[in-house]
């Protein structure tokens, strides 16, 4: 019997959700529609553990608020229910893709094994994005990220000065968490532009600045970090106005880049994101290629661009593979939420944000996100609990 291997690269929020939905719903439907073909899903993950990176600003501030053991969970535990004929987990980093041969070169994250080749029939790119600092994502081993978080936790109690670069959610949230726990620290936040939170309307950015200032954070606009150098335990930061300052702790929260360097250049936009042919089917730049989440060209970088896309993407894959036998499965199309939707905690008691275009009060931010950074949802994310129903 012919075997059709659906390969999902990436095991963060987008990759995990897509893999679970395909295994629970799409593959059984495909095997019913095409009885002469066996379908298998291969999930490629650079790390053995899922990282709930949404909570990084609180994780880095203290080991006592949320244990790191709750933030990092083994990916393999979430897939124990699937038989090995239909599922394989490959731990390693995708370093090359041959479009003609339909093969992916996967290098061992820990450097203890030779690279292996994975052949795909269909591929879903869910590799996400990375940042300069390992605090915000897993650069390879999850142990490296844990070590970075623990180093920050250990350094903060003795720090006198903290400089944070980046006026987006990671920067402002980290400033709020640190200021709430360590009011004696001199904390400076460089927005890098003329205001905070540029994806939201100016009034919300102004509210964020007001809340941060009330906690003692100094917000500075129109100033960027141009380079850094370490001297002992301190960091000297060169600034765009020609000055420099030396601080006890420097946190880079300046943005992300798509994890797409291993892909053919013809598959990517000018900025390195995977081309999506349209924003309803989520088909990618070539037949049998799909993209979801932060690495995809359609994404605006928010959680809803993953949550709302999993089911439509999996339906598109089913429709493309089942062909004329696709009847009986309800069509689903991705409809992107383009109105403001973002929640930004500023300390553990609240924050600022907008839901579907409506500015929300601080206590709503607390109720949804600020009180525990949704840590209770982590086991369900790994187990695919949001995709039990089709």
């Amino acid at each position: 019997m012919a075997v059709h291997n659906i390969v999902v690269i990436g095991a963060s929020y987008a990759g995990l959700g897509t893999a679970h939905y395909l295994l629970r719903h799409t593959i059984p439907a495909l095997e019913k529609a095409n009885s002469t073909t066996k379908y298998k899903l291969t999930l490629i993950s650079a790390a053995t553990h899922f990282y709930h990176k949404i909570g990084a600003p609180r994780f880095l501030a203290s080991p006592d608020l949320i244990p790191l053991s709750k933030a990092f969970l083994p990916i393999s535990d979430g897939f124990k229910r699937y038989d090995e004929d239909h599922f394989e987990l490959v731990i390693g980093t995708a370093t090359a893709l041959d479009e003609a041969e339909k093969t992916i070169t996967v290098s061992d994250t820990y450097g203890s094994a030779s690279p292996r080749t994975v052949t795909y029939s269909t591929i879903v790119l869910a590799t996400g994005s990375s940042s300069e600092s390992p605090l915000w994502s897993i650069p390879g081993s999850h142990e490296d990220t844990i070590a970075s978080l623990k180093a920050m936790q250990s350094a903060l109690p003795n720090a006198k000065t903290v400089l944070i670069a980046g006026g987006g959610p990671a920067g402002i949230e980290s400033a709020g968490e640190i200021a709430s726990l360590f009011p004696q620290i001199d904390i400076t936040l460089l927005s890098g532009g003329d205001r905070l939170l540029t994806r939201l309307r100016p009034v919300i950015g102004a509210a964020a600045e007001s809340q941060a200032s009330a906690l003692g954070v100094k917000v500075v606009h129109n100033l960027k970090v141009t380079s850094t150098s370490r001297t002992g335990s301190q960091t000297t930061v060169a600034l765009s106005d020609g000055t420099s300052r030396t601080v006890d702790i420097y946190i880079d929260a300046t943005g992300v880049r798509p994890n797409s360097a291993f892909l053919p250049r013809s598959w990517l936009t000018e900025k390195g994101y995977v081309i999506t042919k349209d924003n309803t089917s989520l088909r990618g730049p070539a037949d049998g290629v799909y993209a979801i989440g932060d690495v995809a060209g359609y994404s605006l970088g928010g959680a809803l661009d993953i949550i709302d896309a999993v089911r439509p993407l999996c339906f598109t894959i089913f429709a493309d593979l089942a062909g004329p036998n696709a009847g009986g499965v309800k069509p689903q199309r991705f409809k992107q939420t383009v109105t403001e939707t973002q929640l930004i905690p500023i300390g553990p008691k609240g924050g600022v944000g907008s839901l579907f275009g409506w500015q929300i009060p601080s206590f709503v931010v607390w109720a949804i996100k600020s009180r525990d950074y949704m840590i209770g949802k982590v086991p369900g994310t790994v187990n695919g609990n949001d995709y039990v129903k089709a």
Side-chain angles (χ1 to χ4, degrees), residues 262-278:
F262 69 99
L263 296 173
R265 191 67 191 86
S266 61
W267 288 12
L268 307 177
T269 67
E270 184 178 342
K271 293 184 177 181
Y273 293 90
V274 179
I275 295 168
T276 43
K277 290 181 178 178
D278 66 76

Side-chain angles (χ1 to χ4, degrees), residues 117-184:
T117 299
V118 176
T119 301
Y120 68 89
S121 309
T122 294
I123 188 169
V124 179
L125 302 168
T127 48
S129 57
S130 297
S131 55
E132 290 298 325
S133 170
L135 294 169
W136 317 119
S137 58
I138 298 180
S141 166
H142 74 285
E143 294 167 350
D144 295 337
T145 300
I146 290 176
S148 296
L149 290 168
K150 286 184 174 180
M152 185 66 65
Q153 293 171 349
S154 297
L156 279 170
N158 299 312
K160 294 182 180 180
T161 53
V162 172
L163 178 67
I164 303 172
I172 185 66
E173 290 180 30
S174 297
E177 293 295 323
I178 295 170
S180 296
L181 284 173
F182 305 101
Q184 76 280 8

Side-chain angles (χ1 to χ4, degrees), residues 226-250:
T226 57
S227 66
T228 63
S229 60
R230 293 276 293 181
T231 304
S233 62
Q234 293 185 310
T235 301
T236 299
V237 180
L239 301 171
S240 57
D241 64 355
T243 64
S244 65
R245 68 178 71 177
T246 299
V247 294
D248 295 323
I249 294 176
Y250 169 65

Side-chain angles (χ1 to χ4, degrees), residues 140-381:
S141 166
H142 74 285
E143 294 167 350
D144 295 337
T145 300
I146 290 176
S148 296
L149 290 168
K150 286 184 174 180
M152 185 66 65
Q153 293 171 349
S154 297
L156 279 170
N158 299 312
K160 294 182 180 180
T161 53
V162 172
L163 178 67
I164 303 172
I172 185 66
E173 290 180 30
S174 297
E177 293 295 323
I178 295 170
S180 296
L181 284 173
F182 305 101
Q184 76 280 8
I185 296 179
D186 183 343
I187 303 170
T188 301
L189 174 65
L190 306 183
S191 71
D194 58 5
R195 65 184 182 91
L196 297 175
L197 303 173
T198 56
R199 289 191 176 183
L200 298 176
R201 74 193 83 164
V203 67
I204 299 177
E209 182 170 346
S210 176
Q211 289 190 27
S213 297
L215 291 172
V217 177
K218 300 174 184 175
V219 180
V220 179
H221 299 297
N222 299 310
L223 192 61
K224 296 183 178 182
V225 173
T226 57
S227 66
T228 63
S229 60
R230 293 276 293 181
T231 304
S233 62
Q234 293 185 310
T235 301
T236 299
V237 180
L239 301 171
S240 57
D241 64 355
T243 64
S244 65
R245 68 178 71 177
T246 299
V247 294
D248 295 323
I249 294 176
Y250 169 65
I251 298 176
D252 187 336
T254 52
V256 298
R257 60 184 181 276
N259 295 325
S260 61
F262 69 99
L263 296 173
R265 191 67 191 86
S266 61
W267 288 12
L268 307 177
T269 67
E270 184 178 342
K271 293 184 177 181
Y273 293 90
V274 179
I275 295 168
T276 43
K277 290 181 178 178
D278 66 76
N279 287 2
T280 58
S281 71
L282 305 181
R283 291 184 178 92
D287 290 344
V289 178
Y290 308 85
I292 185 171
D294 290 356
V295 77
Y298 77 87
S299 177
L300 300 176
L304 291 180
D305 279 344
I306 296 172
I307 297 169
D308 293 345
V310 169
R311 287 176 174 85
L313 168 65
C314 293
F315 171 77
T316 298
I317 293 172
F318 171 77
D320 289 349
L321 296 181
N325 299 322
V329 175
K330 183 181 178 181
Q332 300 193 53
R333 293 286 182 260
F334 175 58
K335 185 177 181 180
Q336 191 167 38
T337 299
V338 295
T339 52
E340 290 179 325
T341 297
Q342 198 171 48
L343 305 179
I344 299 92
I346 303 176
K349 296 182 179 180
V352 300
S354 177
L355 283 177
F356 306 106
W358 295 90
Q359 185 175 355
I360 57 175
S362 181
F363 76 87
V364 176
V365 178
W366 172 85
I368 297 175
K369 186 176 179 181
S370 178
R371 56 178 170 175
D372 64 359
Y373 270 91
M374 300 181 285
I375 197 68
K377 292 183 175 292
V378 177
T381 299

